[in-house]
Amino acid sequence: MTDDELMERIARGDAGAARILVERWERPVFAFVERMVGSREEAQDLSQEVFLRVCASARRYDRKGRFRSWLFRIAGNLARTSLRRRKILRWVPFRPEIHDRKGGGARPDDGVEREEERSRVRAALERLPARQRQAVLLRRFEEMSYREIASTMKISVAAVESLLQRAMKALRAELSGNGEAG
Amino acid sequence: MNRVECRRLEERIEALLDGELADAEQAALVRHIGSCEKCAAVRAGAKRLHAALAAEKRPEPLRPVWAAVGDRFDRAIGPRASTAFRLAATFAAAAGIILGLFIGSLTGPSAAGNEGTWSDIGSTLGAESGTSLDEIYLSGFDGESS
Ligand SMILES: [Zn+2]
């Protein structure tokens, strides 16, 4: 069943269709949101919120054939809102290991889910401005075309190329610049 | 070495590797890279970055997302899933509130721990009110037995 067909069923209140859709998309959505906000716990909450909004908007859904773009727009908007709400400045890297433990008290899955050492490229990715990071994630991990990224982020194709070009140049510099030192 | 073409490549290397350029421009840049060591190095660096990103481990959900979404699906989807069912649910919820208030008036503070549930019903009146109704019944009886 296509995403559009599932959306039609969800609009009629079909929870089974919603479950299929969630299970089809939860992993890419979670990965995207996690890489946007840098926290697994927060990404879990945000992923749930993404799909609740998908369900809540099912009756108004009219983007036939462009479900993924619509889905990742919701995910991107929620992630960026969350970043703004936490007053994370563009150039300040987010520290998930601090944030996730802020609540105090060990979570039962603390040992299993402990943040592993971030790779250098991952750390550099986290330092990018949110919109640049969003474009990189959609391109490199979701493998969207520039056109689809443009539709997802509601910007022009030229603006997508510009975001990607600046982001990747910064990442290249980090990768080669720190290569010998680290 | 051609300065104009070098700058052009620096500006469009990602689009080139992503296959987003028009054929003519792509051919021109590829030709230039073949004769320019500096631009060949830029391309090699860009490819290395792509490979490094591709090697990143994908973060996986801590828990199945559906577990939480399913619990709130009826509320998310809102009213009108089925008009007849909704009318019945609304009526049952209203009856439950009245019954709850009645039990509450009999048992006093001990049954008052469910204000959250009542306001939930008041705000959604959705398909989930069946569950909330159960909670009111159970808490009412708990109040009486304790
Ligand atoms: Zn050159």
Side-chain angles (χ1 to χ4, degrees), chain B residues 1-2 5-7 9 32 36-40:
Chain B
M1 190 169 299
N2 176 333
E5 294 212 296
C6 292
R7 207 174 63 209
L9 180 109
H32 171 73
C36 177
E37 270 183 39
K38 190 184 130 222
C39 287

Side-chain angles (χ1 to χ4, degrees), chain A residues 1 5-22 51 54-55 58-59, chain B residues 66 69-70 73-74 76-78 80-82 127:
Chain A
M1 210 177 318
E5 285 165 347
L6 289 170
M7 286 300 284
E8 271 176 39
R9 288 177 184 230
I10 293 168
R12 295 199 298 267
D14 183 343
R19 180 176 190 153
I20 294 171
L21 195 76
V22 169
F51 287 106
V54 165
C55 293
R59 284 203 205 95
Chain B
W66 176 251
V69 175
F73 175 76
D74 288 331
I77 202 74
R80 207 183 318 144
S82 149

Side-chain angles (χ1 to χ4, degrees), chain A residues 26-27 119 146 161 165, chain B residues 10 12 18 56 58 60:
Chain A
E26 64 181 335
R27 295 175 75 234
S119 70
Y146 288 12
E161 183 180 349
Q165 190 62 39
Chain B
E10 182 70 41
R12 308 213 76 182
D18 288 339
E56 283 290 306
R58 176 156 91 169
E60 297 289 340

Side-chain angles (χ1 to χ4, degrees), chain A residues 30-45:
Chain A
F30 177 88
F32 169 78
V33 173
E34 201 272 350
R35 285 164 166 151
M36 279 299 289
V37 302
S39 156
R40 292 191 172 193
E41 273 303 330
E42 184 163 12
Q44 184 77 32
D45 292 344

